[in-house]
């Protein structure tokens, strides 16, 4: 695995699981999302993993809103804009595929089905292949989301059968500690990174109380970081997260201590094969 001298910090500010009434500081409007994105960029984030909400504050995959979100984040930040194709566990495949028509710089692509608390996050093989191919056609750089070790075998199968993604580089995100997925600890992170394809980069995020063990393990193993209120709303025992920037600032501080400071968005574009300072606005579908 190539050792990076810096750290990619991705912020996942909203997710699809927390309800606004339970988490009043969760960014759900476009204005809140842009404002949190700017704050996070200022303290070290280079990429943003985006789930959007509707007027009712609930998750939506409305294409018009997704396009407006991509445009606003491009205009008002220099972050790499990654849309979630995972959505919420209830979202149909057709809606999840349509996300790609919003032409983000990057999109998530989960490598298999996993129990997700009391729910099931469904990702059939044919659906994964369809996502991969549509991303290739549109020049969108995937981030392969891995919730369990077997999903790394599916990633190898995908690359063997269907070739490299847009940008020619493979980047993986280990999402650890989801109830039903792989545990969020150092031992499991090491097991997972051994299965990451040669030449690929990986980042990791620990859900809930796995946040700190996974962050520290990833940094020490040469991995990158994803943080944000999608994955945790607790900063320390008994203390709620103030905002997403607080989580990014902590990750950036630890990355500096590890002598692998946060990479700027331009450096990350180069590393991951994401085109253009402001993305792929010139690609027509
Ligand atoms: N909300 C989860 C069911 C992704 O963004 O691609 C799926 C998820 C993964 O968050
Ligand atoms: Zn997500």
């Amino acid at each position: 695995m190539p050792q990076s001298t810096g750290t990619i910090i991705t912020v996942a500010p909203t997710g699809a699981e927390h309800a606004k009434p339970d988490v009043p500081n969760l960014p759900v409007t476009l204005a809140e999302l842009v404002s949190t994105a700017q704050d996070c960029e200022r303290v070290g984030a280079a990429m943003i993993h985006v789930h959007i909400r509707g007027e009712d504050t609930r998750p939506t995959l409305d294409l018009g809103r997704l396009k407006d979100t991509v445009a606003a984040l491009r205009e008002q930040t220099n972050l790499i804009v990654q849309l979630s194709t995972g959505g919420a566990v209830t979202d149909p495949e057709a809606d999840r595929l349509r996300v790609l028509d919003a032409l983000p710089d990057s999109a998530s692509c989960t490598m298999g089905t996993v129990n997700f608390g009391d729910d099931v996050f469904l990702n059939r093989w044919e659906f994964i292949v369809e996502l991969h191919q549509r991303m290739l056609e549109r020049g969108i750089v995937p981030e392969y989301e891995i919730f369990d070790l077997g999903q790394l075998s599916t990633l190898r199968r995908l690359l063997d059968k269907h070739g490299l993604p847009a940008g020619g580089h493979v980047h993986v995100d280990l999402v650890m500690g989801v109830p039903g997925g792989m545990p969020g600890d150092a031992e499991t992170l090491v097991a997972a990174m051994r299965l990451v394809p040669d030449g690929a980069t990986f980042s990791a995020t620990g859900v809930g109380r796995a946040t700190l063990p996974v962050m520290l393990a990833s940094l020490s193993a040469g991995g990158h970081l994803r943080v944000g209120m999608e994955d945790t709303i607790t900063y320390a025992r008994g203390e709620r997260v103030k905002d997403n920037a607080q989580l990014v600032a902590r990750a950036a501080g630890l990355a500096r201590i590890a002598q692998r400071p946060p990479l700027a968005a331009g450096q990350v574009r180069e590393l991951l094969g994401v085109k253009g300072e402001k993305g792929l606005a010139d690609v027509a579908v």
Side-chain angles (χ1 to χ4, degrees):
M1 185 158 309
Q3 282 293 324
S4 173
T5 53
T7 302
I8 304 168
I9 299 182
T10 300
V11 63
T14 308
E17 281 70 41
H18 299 301
K20 180 77 167 173
D22 300 338
V23 187
N25 56 342
L26 191 73
V28 295
T29 66
L30 185 53
E32 286 169 349
L33 182 67
V34 169
S35 164
T36 210
Q38 290 171 329
D39 291 345
C40 291
E41 183 177 14
R42 235 173 267 124
V43 293
M47 177 146 70
I48 184 163
H49 168 85
V50 179
H51 291 253
I52 62 163
R53 302 291 177 106
E55 289 298 337
D56 58 0
T57 77
R58 295 161 71 89
T60 176
L61 295 180
D62 178 83
L63 184 57
R65 284 182 102 89
L66 286 166
K67 286 183 176 173
D68 290 348
T69 302
V70 171
L73 288 169
R74 284 220 178 103
E75 255 168 52
Q76 296 177 63
T77 77
N78 192 36
L79 295 169
I80 298 167
V81 180
Q82 178 185 98
L83 290 183
S84 166
T85 66
V89 287
T90 45
D91 285 322
E93 289 179 350
D95 293 3
R96 292 171 58 191
L97 287 168
R98 203 173 40 240
V99 167
L100 301 177
D101 294 341
L103 297 180
D105 302 313
S106 171
S108 59
C109 182
T110 296
M111 285 295 105
T113 297
V114 65
N115 285 330
F116 199 87
D118 296 342
D119 299 304
V120 175
F121 179 31
L122 185 68
N123 295 284
R124 297 179 308 113
W125 168 250
E126 290 81 1
F127 175 67
I128 290 170
V129 172
E130 190 63 35
L131 273 176
H132 179 82
Q133 282 169 341
R134 289 194 192 196
M135 283 199 225
L136 258 177
E137 285 162 19
R138 290 162 177 73
I140 297 169
V141 172
E143 177 178 88
Y144 298 108
E145 306 288 332
I146 305 295
F147 288 76
D148 216 341
L149 296 186
Q151 294 183 4
L152 285 160
S153 306
T154 303
L155 174 58
R156 279 171 186 269
R157 182 179 175 212
L158 181 73
L159 300 173
D160 286 349
K161 282 188 178 248
H162 298 282
L164 286 171
H169 176 79
V170 176
H171 181 63
V172 166
D173 181 43
L174 308 173
V175 184
M176 308 182 71
V178 168
M182 63 185 149
D185 54 36
E187 228 177 331
T188 308
L189 184 133
V190 170
M193 68 177 273
R194 291 197 174 125
L195 300 171
V196 167
D198 288 345
T201 45
F202 76 94
S203 65
T205 184
V207 170
R209 65 184 52 155
T211 298
L212 281 170
V214 168
M215 183 153 43
L216 294 167
S218 187
L219 273 178
S220 67
H224 301 276
L225 305 177
R226 179 176 112 175
V227 294
M229 294 174 74
E230 172 166 347
D231 301 327
T232 186
I233 51 170
T234 304
Y235 188 74
R237 196 165 297 157
E239 186 186 334
R240 281 287 187 107
V241 167
K242 190 163 95 15
D243 55 26
N244 280 287
Q246 183 190 30
L247 294 169
V248 173
R250 177 168 68 179
L254 290 170
R256 285 192 193 93
I257 288 169
Q259 305 271 290
R260 289 182 44 220
L263 291 169
Q267 294 171 295
V268 178
R269 284 178 195 279
E270 211 166 297
L271 185 61
L272 303 187
V274 177
K275 283 194 231 158
E277 261 305 279
K278 289 286 184 184
L280 299 162
D282 52 335
V283 175
V285 170

